[in-house]
Amino acid sequence: MIFLSEIGDRTFILVTIYAAKMKFLVLFLLANLAMWIMHVLSTLLGGVLVLFIPKIVTRIICVVLFLG
């Protein structure tokens, strides 16, 4: 879960580093692709986990993660 949530931060760092080295359009498309993949993975993971974990357990986990 932590790895998936950190993809956005790593993408920002890489875009910043490559901004001076790559063409704008290529960098823009690659950054969008990375964000799209991150959002699709998180949406699929959230949709699948709800099928296997009861709603009350999901809410408790969310509260614990938020407070942590």
Side-chain angles (χ1 to χ4, degrees):
M1 293 289 280
I2 292 172
F3 174 76
L4 290 176
S5 67
E6 292 294 326
I7 291 175
D9 294 336
R10 291 185 183 129
T11 302
F12 175 76
I13 292 169
L14 288 173
V15 167
T16 305
I17 291 170
Y18 284 113
K21 298 177 182 180
M22 294 180 70
K23 293 182 179 182
F24 171 75
L25 184 60
V26 174
L27 184 62
F28 178 75
L29 292 174
L30 289 174
N32 277 315
L33 179 64
M35 289 294 159
W36 184 80
I37 290 171
M38 180 187 69
H39 288 286
V40 168
L41 286 175
S42 62
T43 302
L44 289 175
L45 183 64
V48 170
L49 286 179
V50 171
L51 298 174
F52 297 107
I53 301 174
K55 198 174 218 179
I56 187 70
V57 174
T58 305
R59 289 181 180 181
I60 292 170
I61 291 171
C62 288
V63 168
V64 169
L65 288 174
F66 178 75
L67 292 175

